[in-house]
Amino acid sequence: MTRTPYDPEAEGAQMSFDDHMSYGDYLHLDKILTAQSPLSAAHDEMLFIVQHQASEIWMRLVIHELTSVCDHIARDDLAPSFKMLARVSRILDQLNSAWDVLRTMTPSEYTTFREALGMSSGFQSFQYRAIEFLAGNKNAAMMRPHEHRPAIHAWLKEILQAPSIYDQSIRLLVRKGFAIDKSVTDRNCALPYHANDSVRDAWLTIYRNPEAHWPLYELAEKLVDFEDYFRRWRFNHVTTVERIIGFKTGTGGTSGVNYLRKMLDVVLFPELWNVRTDL
């Protein structure tokens, strides 16, 4: 028996978009899908471009969420920040999965287009730098690759100098009555954070009696979740690069895998990890 082809218009679906906004219009797909411009004839360069562009789009959302987290914590409005931090952790999980796709590219395939990359390198990602600054890994030296883009440089400087999500969390502890050293509360937020005993003691009090401090306890665990997934992303980056280029120098002039391994030693929220030993 011959079946009549299904026609969505018969059920009321909009099929003509001369005067209506379509799916592609709303998402600006004409811009997104024409942004892949390989510089070589190598088949795998398209994979390399798409993987990194997709990651940058996810990072755009991470920045959106973390910026809002800082604002909500500063206003003692914790419930929305829990949802946002949980979302960021899921995004980082997506970014981790992206490395699995890139790892299908072999060293031989990468060498067919590596020279086309010139001095461009992932460590120059201004969005990644913004995420690091928002999370508290402040390093003004990492802004220099963006000096040729004044608007981006100014934006990063603003994030560098602003309180990170951990700075905001510590200020929240003060507002909730915990005694935090002034060296922490009055510190220059543009500088790297260093662990402090008074902050550790505050989190220890919270972890020893979660029921009495449940919102702060939940915030602490959401921050740990975030850093856990962030560490996995960094680790998968290292193993992916080592699998593809070994210990060669990175395209941007860094030491490659050795540079990335140094990033694995960065701890964003030290007291939240140290308190586990103290409990």
Side-chain angles (χ1 to χ4, degrees):
M1 181 176 65
T2 303
R3 291 176 178 265
T4 302
Y6 171 65
D7 183 359
E9 190 171 16
E11 296 181 352
Q14 182 69 39
M15 302 295 281
S16 176
F17 293 93
D18 292 337
D19 300 313
H20 297 82
M21 179 176 65
S22 71
Y23 172 83
D25 297 331
Y26 175 68
L27 295 176
H28 298 284
L29 292 182
D30 54 336
K31 297 179 181 179
I32 295 174
L33 299 180
T34 55
Q36 297 75 45
S37 303
L39 299 178
S40 74
H43 174 81
D44 285 77
E45 189 179 356
M46 181 63 80
L47 162 64
F48 191 82
I49 292 172
V50 169
Q51 193 270 341
H52 285 84
Q53 288 183 342
S55 295
E56 289 289 340
I57 291 174
W58 279 121
M59 283 191 270
R60 174 70 180 85
L61 183 55
V62 170
I63 293 166
H64 174 70
E65 300 294 341
L66 291 182
T67 301
S68 292
V69 168
C70 286
D71 291 341
H72 280 280
I73 295 176
R75 300 197 304 267
D76 290 15
D77 187 16
L78 296 186
S81 70
F82 299 155
K83 176 66 176 290
M84 294 168 189
L85 283 168
R87 179 176 292 160
V88 169
S89 293
R90 300 290 84 74
I91 296 168
L92 291 171
D93 200 25
Q94 289 283 342
L95 287 166
N96 269 318
S97 297
W99 294 123
D100 293 336
V101 181
L102 191 61
R103 279 197 287 264
T104 65
M105 182 173 61
T106 67
S108 299
E109 291 162 344
Y110 181 54
T111 58
T112 61
F113 66 88
R114 191 184 190 218
E115 287 188 4
L117 303 179
M119 295 300 293
S120 62
S121 173
F123 92 92
Q124 300 154 7
S125 167
F126 63 85
Q127 288 203 124
Y128 177 77
R129 197 56 50 203
I131 293 171
E132 288 275 11
F133 288 175
L134 283 163
N137 186 20
K138 305 291 185 77
N139 182 352
M142 301 307 292
M143 292 179 55
R144 290 204 296 271
H146 311 290
E147 289 176 345
H148 68 296
R149 303 283 298 277
I152 290 173
H153 189 269
W155 176 65
L156 286 175
K157 184 177 181 180
E158 183 179 349
I159 299 173
L160 175 76
Q161 295 176 339
S164 69
I165 55 176
Y166 199 49
D167 289 320
Q168 294 290 10
S169 298
I170 293 172
R171 293 180 181 187
L172 174 64
L173 294 178
V174 174
R175 294 195 298 274
K176 296 300 181 180
F178 290 92
I180 304 297
D181 292 345
K182 285 185 65 64
S183 61
V184 177
T185 57
D186 295 345
R187 79 183 196 87
N188 182 350
C189 291
L191 299 177
Y193 176 80
H194 297 289
N196 179 273
D197 287 346
S198 67
V199 177
R200 181 202 61 201
D201 291 342
W203 289 123
L204 190 59
T205 298
I206 292 164
Y207 270 85
R208 282 178 171 158
N209 191 0
E211 291 78 11
H213 309 283
W214 191 264
L216 296 175
Y217 177 68
E218 187 168 1
L219 174 62
E221 283 299 288
K222 288 293 188 292
L223 291 173
V224 171
D225 280 344
F226 164 68
E227 182 162 5
D228 191 355
Y229 278 95
F230 200 20
R231 286 181 178 184
R232 297 183 206 182
W233 185 28
R234 285 171 169 162
F235 178 78
N236 277 318
H237 189 185
V238 173
T239 56
T240 300
V241 171
E242 184 174 354
R243 175 170 176 161
I244 295 175
I245 70 167
F247 287 86
K248 292 186 181 73
T249 300
T251 49
T254 70
S255 57
V257 168
N258 289 328
Y259 162 75
L260 294 173
R261 283 183 174 175
K262 291 177 183 176
M263 298 301 100
L264 296 179
D265 294 331
V266 174
V267 180
L268 300 173
F269 318 130
E271 294 89 355
L272 289 177
W273 295 96
N274 295 341
V275 76
R276 282 148 167 78
T277 303
D278 296 330
L279 284 171

